[in-house]
Amino acid sequence: MFLAADSVVLTLRALSFVAIFQAAGNALFLDLFGARLSAAVEERVRTLARIAAVAALCLAVLHYVLTPARMAGNLGSTFDPSLSQLLLESNAGSAHIVRILGLAVLFLSLDRRNRLNTIAMRAALGLTILSFALMGHTAIHPLRWLLAPLLLVHVAVAAFWFGALWPLHVIAGRESAERGGAAIAAYSKLAVRLVPLVLICGALLAVVLIRSVAELATAYGALVLGKAAAFALLMYLAALNRWRYGAPVAAADSAAVRAFRRIAAAEWGVLALVLVATALMTSLFAPAHLEGAFGSHLSEPHTDSSAAPPNGGPAR
């Protein structure tokens, strides 16, 4: 039963990360570039965002509801009132409530583009991204005042990057060359300034959380090194699309369009794997000097009804 509870909750957490980052980034893409698209393509991109948002909401709710089962190591403890109360009063409980509220508002705000929905969508994005800083390793660290802002920028830019890839895939295949090329160029111009912040903030977080070179040999250190390697691969793919295929796509070169879409899908796949790995590893492992420090905050599960809630884990 322990393995069943653990596997179910960790799977929900991993899938929720992918859906949350897709929904948030897709919505942000619409906010920034939706006006540049034709009505038909904008509606298709908006539909993708709505699907991602409802999936993220359902997964986040299920993850929260089943977390007491992981705390006890038994699916039969899902509705244990004492564990549910303990979770509610923890950092993880507060963070999940903020996240679920943000995702619910995000889904409702994606109905159509108007002033009220735009305001609601931006507020929802803020709540959803903020939830990552309310639990996990950064939430209990003495340098939280430094780590939390770094994590928020890291998460926000990663969501912008990840969530834009499927809209770009759609735009390249369905939008007119003129509109599509302009939208892709506008995205690339902003992305080239923002995406390096993922590496910069991630590196600064790693410097604080990993205190020695020897800690790179731990599971948490391996996660950091793996993410750095993935970032290098992603930078290569992004540069390929920007410099080799961006202009030909705008010129309606069909071969370039196919190549652009393949690379965008590959980028999405690599980033999705990074998100899944991050969700799993940060739930199971912590930086060496924080191991065992979650007792009264987010603690590791699998004890009994006196267990503290599990580490909700940040995106770092």
Side-chain angles (χ1 to χ4, degrees):
M1 290 299 288
F2 155 67
L3 289 176
D6 218 38
S7 298
V8 170
V9 175
L10 289 176
T11 299
L12 287 171
R13 174 175 162 79
L15 293 176
S16 74
F17 266 44
V18 175
I20 289 167
F21 275 69
Q22 182 62 57
N26 203 330
L28 189 54
F29 184 91
L30 280 168
D31 189 25
L32 294 171
F33 309 112
R36 297 174 178 269
L37 306 177
S38 64
V41 172
E42 182 189 359
E43 181 55 32
R44 188 172 184 84
V45 172
R46 190 174 296 278
T47 298
L48 288 172
R50 286 196 292 263
I51 292 170
V54 75
L57 179 59
C58 292
L59 289 165
V61 170
L62 284 172
H63 179 257
Y64 179 82
V65 169
L66 289 172
T67 292
R70 184 174 184 238
M71 293 161 62
N74 189 327
L75 287 171
S77 300
T78 298
F79 299 106
D80 184 301
S82 61
L83 290 176
S84 297
Q85 184 64 28
L86 194 60
L87 174 61
L88 183 62
E89 293 174 355
S90 71
N91 289 347
S94 301
H96 275 92
I97 290 170
V98 170
R99 180 173 297 173
I100 289 167
L101 175 62
L103 290 170
V105 175
L106 181 61
F107 172 70
L108 295 173
S109 70
L110 287 166
D111 178 51
R112 62 177 63 87
R113 178 154 54 96
N114 57 43
R115 188 177 184 83
L116 179 61
N117 279 345
T118 298
I119 293 171
M121 181 174 67
R122 290 172 182 173
L125 287 171
L127 289 173
T128 303
I129 291 168
L130 176 64
S131 70
F132 285 90
L134 298 179
M135 60 180 169
H137 310 144
T138 60
I140 64 168
H141 199 283
L143 296 179
R144 183 181 184 183
W145 60 270
L146 172 64
L147 296 177
L150 289 173
L151 180 62
L152 290 174
V153 174
H154 184 76
V155 169
V157 177
F160 163 76
W161 184 8
F162 180 69
L165 292 171
W166 271 119
L168 291 172
H169 187 274
V170 171
I171 289 167
R174 294 179 176 270
E175 190 61 275
S176 67
E178 182 180 357
R179 281 182 178 270
I184 290 169
Y187 165 79
S188 297
K189 184 177 180 180
L190 182 58
V192 77
R193 292 170 170 80
L194 292 182
V195 168
L197 292 175
V198 174
L199 178 62
I200 293 169
C201 292
L204 291 173
L205 284 164
V207 167
V208 176
L209 293 173
I210 298 179
R211 295 185 171 184
S212 69
V213 174
E215 288 187 28
L216 291 174
T218 65
Y220 190 84
L223 171 65
V224 172
L225 292 176
K227 290 176 73 173
F231 184 85
L233 173 60
L234 288 163
M235 284 294 91
Y236 168 74
L237 294 174
L240 197 61
N241 254 358
R242 174 177 170 80
W243 299 112
R244 177 174 292 187
Y245 298 119
V249 168
D253 183 321
S254 59
V257 168
R258 289 193 296 272
F260 182 95
R261 299 184 81 200
R262 283 196 300 269
I263 292 172
E267 276 190 77
W268 189 93
V270 173
L271 275 169
L273 288 175
V274 170
L275 289 172
V276 167
T278 300
L280 297 177
M281 296 292 282
T282 54
S283 187
L284 295 170
F285 304 103
H289 65 286
L290 292 179
E291 288 286 1
F294 296 101
S296 61
H297 298 77
L298 301 169
S299 195
E300 288 301 308
H302 324 317
T303 54
D304 53 29
S305 60
S306 65
N311 171 20
R316 172 77 233 144

